[in-house]
């Protein structure tokens, strides 16, 4: 029995793990940059449109100018041959990439189940491509008459996320080896569930 089978947040992690590196970043429309409608940028730099068969198609096309960064996983990329008219009798054929079967995923799903991550100060960089800033939400909440030298909490949080990813790798390994190792299965299940609970809290944040 899969107790987390109906959890959409955890299911999104499975999509990232199974489809990575098929990942794209949403580029929002911009009057200043003359970008009409939302587009998707893949790691190789292709500017893509969502396939009309994707149930997320309208959401991407109608994306607003303002909003949070957004990321999607996709099943495949196809090149469609379009025709653009130039001069009177001149027609140029232009290939345009489209992405199939798109699903939005959170940045934490990417950090925990995507590619290799690297810490740069208080940033986490995935495969030397996507750069996520890890903030300290409590920054400045505690005042003191004497300044103290404290570590950068953003960098500490980045390290914690990196360590959580290692714990997730251990959880998956234990489930693969379940029944083949001489360990208390009940204790192992409890330990694994604690890690999964922490991951779910992070995804819901």
């Amino acid at each position: 029995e899969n107790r987390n089978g109906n959890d959409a947040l955890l299911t999104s992690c499975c999509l990232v793990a199974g489809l990575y590196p098929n990942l794209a970043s949403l580029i929002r429309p911009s009057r200043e940059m003359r970008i009409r409608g939302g587009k998707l940028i893949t790691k190789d730099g292709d500017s893509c449109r969502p396939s009309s068969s994707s149930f997320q198609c309208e959401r991407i096309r109608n994306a607003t100018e303002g909003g949070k960064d957004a990321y999607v996983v996709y099943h495949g990329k196809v090149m469609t041959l379009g025709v653009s008219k130039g001069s009177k009798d001149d027609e140029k054929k232009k290939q345009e990439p489209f992405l199939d079967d798109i699903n939005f995923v959170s940045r934490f799903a990417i950090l925990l189940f995507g590619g290799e991550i690297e810490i740069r100060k208080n940033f986490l960089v995935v495969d030397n491509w996507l750069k996520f800033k890890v903030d300290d939400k409590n920054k400045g909440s505690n005042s003191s008459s004497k300044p103290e030298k404290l570590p950068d909490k953003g960098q500490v949080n980045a390290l914690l996320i990196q360590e959580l990813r290692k714990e997730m790798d251990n959880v998956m390994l234990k489930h693969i080896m379940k029944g083949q190792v001489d360990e208390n299965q009940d204790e192992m299940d409890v330990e694994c569930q604690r890690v999964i609970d922490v991951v779910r809290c992070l995804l819901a944040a």
Side-chain angles (χ1 to χ4, degrees):
E1 180 186 356
N2 185 353
R3 70 187 73 175
N4 300 304
N6 294 322
D7 193 315
L9 290 174
L10 293 177
T11 301
S12 70
C13 293
C14 298
L15 290 174
V16 174
L19 292 174
Y20 195 86
N22 288 4
L23 183 70
S25 176
L26 174 65
I27 301 300
R28 296 182 178 277
S30 170
R31 294 179 184 177
E32 184 180 345
M33 302 296 294
R34 297 182 180 179
I35 300 175
R36 298 180 61 186
K39 293 186 178 182
L40 299 165
I41 302 295
T42 58
K43 185 179 180 180
D44 53 15
D46 283 343
S47 176
C48 308
R49 296 187 183 275
S51 168
S52 57
S53 62
S54 173
F55 76 99
Q56 298 284 9
C57 179
E58 290 302 315
R59 180 179 174 184
I60 294 169
R61 286 179 179 174
N62 298 325
T64 58
E65 286 195 39
K68 296 181 179 179
D69 292 342
Y71 309 92
V72 302
V73 288
Y74 60 92
H75 185 262
K77 183 193 296 184
V78 295
M79 301 296 291
T80 302
L81 195 62
V83 177
S84 60
K85 292 185 178 181
S87 58
K88 187 182 292 183
D89 298 320
D90 180 32
E91 288 189 350
K92 295 181 180 179
K93 293 183 178 180
K94 179 184 177 184
Q95 286 187 325
E96 187 174 17
F98 285 79
L99 301 183
D100 283 332
D101 300 326
I102 295 166
N103 280 282
F104 281 88
V105 292
S106 77
R107 59 175 181 163
F108 291 116
I110 297 170
L111 288 169
L112 293 173
F113 296 90
E116 294 295 324
I117 59 175
E118 176 188 356
I119 297 177
R120 299 178 187 173
K121 295 185 178 180
N122 61 329
F123 288 89
L124 284 165
V125 183
V126 181
D127 280 345
N128 203 31
W129 174 41
L130 292 176
K131 190 176 182 181
F132 300 97
K133 185 177 181 180
V134 184
D135 292 321
D136 170 27
K137 291 185 178 180
N138 297 320
K139 188 174 181 181
S141 60
N142 295 325
S143 59
S144 174
S145 57
K146 294 182 179 180
E148 297 181 14
K149 277 193 173 182
L150 296 173
D152 187 328
K153 289 187 178 180
Q155 188 172 12
V156 171
N157 289 340
L159 285 167
L160 289 174
I161 293 173
Q162 188 179 52
E163 289 302 311
L164 179 59
R165 175 163 176 161
K166 293 178 183 178
E167 286 301 313
M168 277 305 307
D169 290 342
N170 290 333
V171 165
M172 288 188 284
L173 182 60
K174 286 179 179 179
H175 273 282
I176 293 171
M177 300 298 294
K178 193 172 182 179
Q180 303 178 34
V181 293
D182 187 19
E183 288 189 36
N184 187 308
Q185 296 298 320
D186 290 335
E187 290 182 3
M188 190 167 66
D189 287 343
V190 170
E191 180 185 347
C192 291
Q193 189 59 46
R194 285 175 180 170
V195 176
I196 292 173
D197 289 343
V198 171
V199 170
R200 199 196 180 288
C201 288
L202 192 62
L203 293 171

